[in-house]
Amino acid sequence: MLTPAEIADARAYAIAAMTDAGVVLTAAEQADLEVSDFGLGDLTRTGLQLVVYVNTDRVCAKEMVLRPGQTCPEHVHVGAGDELGKEETFRVRAGEVWLYVEGDPTSAPRAVAPRPEHYTAWHEIVLRPGDQHTIMPGTKHWFQAGPTGAVVTEFSTRSTDERDVFTDPDIRRITVVADD
Amino acid sequence: MLTPAEIADARAYAIAAMTDAGVVLTAAEQADLEVSDFGLGDLTRTGLQLVVYVNTDRVCAKEMVLRPGQTCPEHVHVGAGDELGKEETFRVRAGEVWLYVEGDPTSAPRAVAPRPEHYTAWHEIVLRPGDQHTIMPGTKHWFQAGPTGAVVTEFSTRSTDERDVFTDPDIRRITVVADD
């Protein structure tokens, strides 16, 4: 659960980070900027700030901001019926991102998982401004920002948060806002 | 047909415009930056500079640069077999873009078409930094940069240049480079 004050603080942080990275947002996008703590109540460690630019039946694009050391927790995009799972490309605009995918575990990874018992993918990919990586459906992945935080653009197929499967059973993708 | 000198000049212009807009490109992306005159041999009036970030079977994203008054000429994205035509969202990062789509013609439009006999869509949409517009398949469209040029991100389904249908029969999408 997030308080209105936490959300306001996270939004201000994200807008400043995007502005520094040259991202221009409309007033409506700034007002609606999404803050998620993934239901764990520990926003600065597990959380994400994001603006959804577009999300149609076929295409989605988002701008995401992470604080220093903040983690988007491990999950996988699964399909439903005839529809393939979500495919996404992360392109880093500012800061550094440590992306972990299934595969050969990296020895001495840079990230420290916030709840390590719920992280299984440890193949590390380091992304700096201008770098990008594409995640195909069915691949478990998670990412953490380096010491200066990060701004990351995501290009993907349709975003269906309700079909993301998180490794950590306590995670809830829908943000609950506490009363003031 | 473009000369190597024209291409080098257009690439340098585009890289400077993107850098000013906060876009970070890798060295490989800068070296491969695409310049198209659409076969008309009049690059500063009809042309486009672009970097393709990703183009998989399902998702495409590009960064495009236009010089002041430069036009991406009228075309439409058609499907083939079971595949729908391309859907694309233009989001302006810097400068101003005058986008024209099918619909009620705008009286006193801002743009001057470079070869007006080959332009039929005159419903004007003015896009400034942070503004965006989504074009569904089957909609004729074209766009021109305002007086300071423009940097535009495109989020779309798979890009299939060979299936773009241009109104102007003299247009060729594949760039031909002249010998030095």
Side-chain angles (χ1 to χ4, degrees), chain A residues 21-26 29 53-54 56 58-59 61 84-85 87 89 91 93 129-132 134 136-137 155-157, chain B residues 21-22 24-26 29 53-54 56 58-59 61 84-87 89 91 93 129-132 134 136-137 155-157:
Chain A
V23 174
V24 180
L25 300 178
T26 63
E29 288 168 339
Y53 289 140
V54 60
T56 69
R58 301 167 74 198
V59 178
L84 295 170
E87 171 196 319
T89 296
R91 184 175 176 95
R93 307 182 55 80
D131 294 337
Q132 63 182 42
T134 299
M136 288 295 173
F155 312 121
S156 74
T157 55
Chain B
V24 181
L25 301 178
T26 64
E29 288 168 337
Y53 290 139
V54 60
T56 69
R58 300 168 74 199
V59 178
L84 295 171
K86 185 186 178 209
E87 172 195 318
T89 296
R91 185 176 175 95
R93 307 181 56 78
D131 293 339
Q132 63 181 42
T134 300
M136 288 295 173
F155 313 120
S156 74
T157 55

Side-chain angles (χ1 to χ4, degrees), chain B residues 63-134:
Chain B
E63 205 77 62
M64 305 187 290
V65 174
L66 295 104
R67 287 181 189 263
Q70 199 177 32
T71 297
C72 175
E74 185 174 292
H75 63 286
V76 59
H77 304 291
V78 297
D82 285 347
E83 200 178 321
L84 295 171
K86 185 186 178 209
E87 172 195 318
E88 59 197 14
T89 296
F90 300 123
R91 185 176 175 95
V92 172
R93 307 181 56 78
E96 185 167 298
V97 169
W98 305 325
L99 172 65
Y100 297 89
V101 297
E102 292 180 69
D104 253 1
T106 298
S107 58
R110 288 164 168 82
V112 175
R115 288 157 59 93
E117 65 275 28
H118 301 302
Y119 288 77
T120 67
W122 285 102
H123 181 76
E124 181 178 270
I125 298 159
V126 177
L127 299 173
R128 302 196 174 95
D131 293 339
Q132 63 181 42
H133 186 81
T134 300

Side-chain angles (χ1 to χ4, degrees), chain B residues 130-147:
Chain B
D131 293 339
Q132 63 181 42
H133 186 81
T134 300
I135 311 263
M136 288 295 173
T139 305
K140 281 185 193 163
H141 60 284
W142 60 284
F143 50 96
Q144 184 172 96

Side-chain angles (χ1 to χ4, degrees), chain A:
Chain A
M1 202 173 297
L2 287 169
T3 66
E6 281 178 301
I7 291 175
D9 181 61
R11 281 187 176 147
Y13 178 89
I15 291 166
M18 290 195 210
T19 302
D20 283 351
V23 174
V24 180
L25 300 178
T26 63
E29 288 168 339
Q30 294 190 21
D32 291 342
L33 194 146
E34 184 182 347
V35 179
S36 175
D37 70 351
F38 296 90
L40 297 182
D42 188 15
L43 177 65
T44 56
R45 296 183 76 210
T46 302
L48 198 58
Q49 295 67 228
L50 69 150
V51 171
V52 179
Y53 289 140
V54 60
N55 190 24
T56 69
D57 282 352
R58 301 167 74 198
V59 178
C60 180
K62 299 176 182 174
E63 204 77 61
M64 304 187 290
V65 174
L66 295 103
R67 287 181 189 263
Q70 198 177 33
T71 297
C72 174
E74 184 173 293
H75 63 286
V76 60
H77 304 291
V78 297
D82 286 346
E83 199 178 322
L84 295 170
K86 185 186 177 209
E87 171 196 319
E88 59 195 16
T89 296
F90 299 123
R91 184 175 176 95
V92 172
R93 307 182 55 80
E96 185 167 297
V97 169
W98 305 325
L99 173 65
Y100 297 89
V101 297
E102 291 179 70
D104 252 2
T106 298
S107 60
R110 287 165 169 82
V112 175
R115 287 157 60 94
E117 66 275 27
H118 302 302
Y119 288 77
T120 67
W122 284 101
H123 181 76
E124 181 178 89
I125 298 159
V126 177
L127 299 173
R128 301 194 174 98
D131 294 337
Q132 63 182 42
H133 186 81
T134 299
I135 311 263
M136 288 295 173
T139 305
K140 280 185 193 164
H141 61 283
W142 60 285
F143 50 96
Q144 184 171 97
T148 60
V151 180
V152 183
T153 311
E154 181 186 292
F155 312 121
S156 74
T157 55
R158 185 161 75 100
S159 193
T160 49
D161 289 343
E162 68 282 7
R163 292 220 300 269
D164 292 352
V165 178
F166 287 87
T167 307
D168 185 336
D170 293 334
I171 284 181
R172 300 289 174 268
R173 182 63 182 84
I174 305 304
T175 299
V176 178
V177 180
D179 288 336
D180 243 329

